Amino acid sequence: MTLFSGALTGRETPISTSETHAVSGAPLHPPFPEGHGVIVVGMGCFWGVEQLFWELPGVFVTAAGYAGGQTPNPTYEETCTGRTGHAETVQVVYDPAVFGIGTLLKTFWENHDPTQGNRQGNDIGPHYRSLILTTTEAQRAAAEQSAAAFQASLEQAGRGDVTTEIRPLEYFYYAEGYHQQYLAKNPGGYCGLKGTGVSCPVA
């Protein structure tokens, strides 16, 4: 875990958020259906990332939130200061029988630029960094293997090194209700997703 000096204190009580998904009506909070996988990804601004995943077959529910840092139950404003250690992330709950981890990881790598460190395009700061937070050892192994495979493809294309953090999920803090399914509520809203144009060779 990356340690951030001067991390904000945060709070014991979770901030207010939505209870159900604005598009599918599925519950945002556990318990989730038995046998479903849970993984958390950071690819820059979480608005477009969440829409990317909720539109895919086999995804049960998505939620925008904060993860990867130290501050408990942070707000959006606190996360944007860079002093919580968190990234803007999306929790993806999926049915492995329909949407396998390989497809999920291919979607992750091909829809942002994981070589930029603490930024995605014009969005700059540690809260925009690339991140995969896993909930099983199998997920972690698959993520690391896919990172190596994508790195090889990036090198062939003359691109830089992958800076994505891959580690077990500690806590996922739900973002405020107005961030949940933001682009469904605000059609035409900002989406910062932009891939490298390099294909990820993951089954």
Side-chain angles (χ1 to χ4, degrees):
M1 175 177 175
T2 303
L3 296 178
F4 292 80
S5 60
L8 298 177
T9 304
R11 56 200 50 78
E12 293 184 4
T13 304
I15 60 174
S16 178
T17 189
S18 306
E19 293 300 321
T20 58
H21 197 279
V23 177
S24 69
L28 250 58
H29 302 264
F32 301 122
E34 185 176 353
H36 280 46
V38 179
I39 197 167
V40 172
V41 297
M43 302 164 61
C45 176
F46 48 21
W47 294 342
V49 179
E50 189 185 12
Q51 183 177 45
L52 172 69
F53 282 98
W54 89 53
E55 291 181 341
L56 297 176
V59 172
F60 173 72
V61 74
T62 57
Y66 315 112
Q70 296 159 267
T71 301
N73 298 300
T75 65
Y76 177 70
E77 289 75 15
E78 289 169 344
T79 300
C80 287
T81 67
R83 293 180 57 202
T84 68
H86 294 299
E88 292 189 23
T89 59
V90 172
Q91 178 174 263
V92 183
V93 181
Y94 62 98
D95 182 351
V98 179
F99 186 58
I101 188 65
T103 303
L104 188 152
L105 291 168
K106 184 176 178 67
T107 301
F108 171 83
W109 294 116
E110 292 182 354
N111 285 278
H112 76 303
D113 185 346
T115 71
Q116 297 189 75
N118 290 330
R119 68 182 300 168
Q120 278 297 303
N122 293 327
D123 294 331
I124 300 173
H127 52 299
Y128 292 122
R129 69 190 188 275
S130 180
L131 191 65
I132 302 175
L133 299 174
T134 61
T135 59
T136 68
E137 281 302 314
Q139 283 182 354
R140 186 173 183 178
E144 290 173 348
Q145 291 169 3
S146 69
F150 194 51
Q151 179 65 70
S153 295
L154 288 170
E155 289 174 0
Q156 291 178 356
R159 305 297 293 253
D161 294 335
V162 168
T163 61
T164 306
E165 296 176 29
I166 301 173
R167 51 190 169 87
L169 173 68
E170 294 184 3
Y171 297 100
F172 174 78
Y173 299 104
Y174 288 85
E176 295 84 346
Y178 71 92
H179 285 302
Q180 304 298 339
Q181 301 82 61
Y182 182 87
L183 292 181
K185 301 170 184 175
N186 299 274
Y190 173 75
C191 175
L193 285 180
K194 185 177 181 181
T196 61
V198 176
S199 177
C200 181
V202 177

